[in-house]
Amino acid sequence: DQQVKQNSPSLSVQEGRISILNCDYTNSMFDYFLWYKKYPAEGPTFLISISSIKDKNEDGRFTVFLNKSAKHLSLHIVPSQPGDSAVYFCAASVASGNTPLVFGKGTRLSVIA
Amino acid sequence: DGGITQSPKYLFRKEGQNVTLSCEQNLNHDAMYWYRQDPGQGLRLIYYSQIVNDFQKGDIAEGYSVSREKKESFPLTVTSAQKNPTAFYLCASTSTIRTGGTEAFFGQGTRLTVV
């Protein structure tokens, strides 16, 4: 049973436009959410996170939105750049410290110049 | 520089052989994890350890074993019982940041291929 779902395996966006990556979760105990970026043959790198006490967190071109009632979060990248092309993983955890992150299957973003 | 080091980056194994993947961290993190990545499958948890000399099975532990004798080290052994060992293996560690969440830091991964 998949607790974290990324229903779009891939997304293509023109350079300069907004990229919106979506993530849904089923476990209502999750209260901390993260986005990771991954290039081929490399480990994921942390991008941005949000705790359930907030509904928005912004860091430069990256903004994560959380809708707890819908159990949905999204990552907005604006403006999108070719270097943003990678696989993006959504992850969730219960913020009690050192609990394993549960990952979605990822969305491959391609930013076209 | 602090970080997580996985070695080797590429590993080839003959069928029926056990192989051990190394993971070392100098971040002073208490918890360490092993994930496996397959195409279209995301990251699946194999084993994790929250403290030295203790570890728990993840979602896909069958055919794998681990040890945690030192805080810095969490080696993963892929045994001959693992039916489909060819995959990309990722080691991670976590610290609890002030907001209470757990941000995982990952190594660069080991690509294991069974030949």
Side-chain angles (χ1 to χ4, degrees):
Chain A
D1 182 31
Q2 228 183 319
Q3 297 186 71
V4 178
K5 300 178 184 179
Q6 294 178 256
N7 292 320
S8 298
S10 62
L11 175 68
S12 289
V13 172
Q14 286 287 124
E15 180 180 6
R17 307 293 282 266
I18 185 170
S19 295
I20 300 176
L21 294 91
N22 293 303
C23 178
D24 298 292
Y25 61 96
T26 57
N27 188 343
S28 58
M29 296 295 292
F30 288 146
D31 54 6
Y32 191 67
F33 305 90
L34 308 91
W35 285 94
Y36 281 82
K37 177 179 179 179
K38 185 182 181 300
Y39 294 117
E42 293 184 9
T45 55
F46 170 73
L47 200 55
I48 192 169
S49 63
I50 189 167
S51 91
S52 59
I53 61 173
K54 295 185 175 181
D55 55 17
K56 176 183 173 181
N57 188 27
E58 192 171 353
D59 184 3
R61 296 186 298 115
F62 302 92
T63 303
V64 56
F65 295 92
L66 175 62
N67 182 335
K68 283 174 292 194
S69 61
K71 294 192 179 71
H72 176 82
L73 62 153
S74 60
L75 174 68
H76 293 210
I77 306 173
V78 55
S80 300
Q81 299 174 353
D84 296 330
S85 297
V87 176
Y88 289 78
F89 289 100
C90 172
S93 74
V94 178
S96 58
N98 292 335
T99 55
L101 293 174
V102 179
F103 286 85
K105 293 188 175 183
T107 296
R108 180 177 301 280
L109 173 66
S110 299
V111 180
I112 304 162
Chain B
D1 283 336
I4 300 180
T5 302
Q6 289 186 242
S7 61
K9 189 166 177 64
Y10 299 96
L11 189 57
F12 295 88
R13 188 197 88 176
K14 291 183 179 178
E15 281 194 37
Q17 287 182 340
N18 293 355
V19 64
T20 297
L21 283 60
S22 170
C23 178
E24 304 277 333
Q25 56 100 356
N26 60 3
L27 299 166
N28 199 33
H29 287 173
D30 287 314
M32 297 185 73
Y33 311 81
W34 276 104
Y35 290 90
R36 167 178 170 147
Q37 185 189 13
D38 295 283
Q41 291 293 321
L43 304 180
R44 294 183 291 168
L45 182 66
I46 304 173
Y47 266 99
Y48 66 103
S49 167
Q50 295 180 317
I51 196 168
V52 174
N53 292 324
D54 188 42
F55 47 83
Q56 288 79 41
K57 293 182 178 179
D59 300 318
I60 55 165
E62 185 176 350
Y64 300 97
S65 66
V66 293
S67 62
R68 187 86 186 278
E69 297 175 3
K70 299 187 301 182
K71 187 176 183 178
E72 302 79 18
S73 179
F74 191 40
L76 173 74
T77 297
V78 184
T79 75
S80 57
Q82 168 49 233
K83 296 285 188 283
N84 296 297
T86 294
F88 190 57
Y89 290 87
L90 287 159
C91 179
S93 68
T94 57
S95 72
T96 305
I97 61 177
R98 273 178 288 181
T99 57
T102 52
E103 173 189 340
F105 293 83
F106 283 85
Q108 290 298 295
T110 293
R111 167 73 62 186
L112 173 64
T113 303
V114 174
V115 297

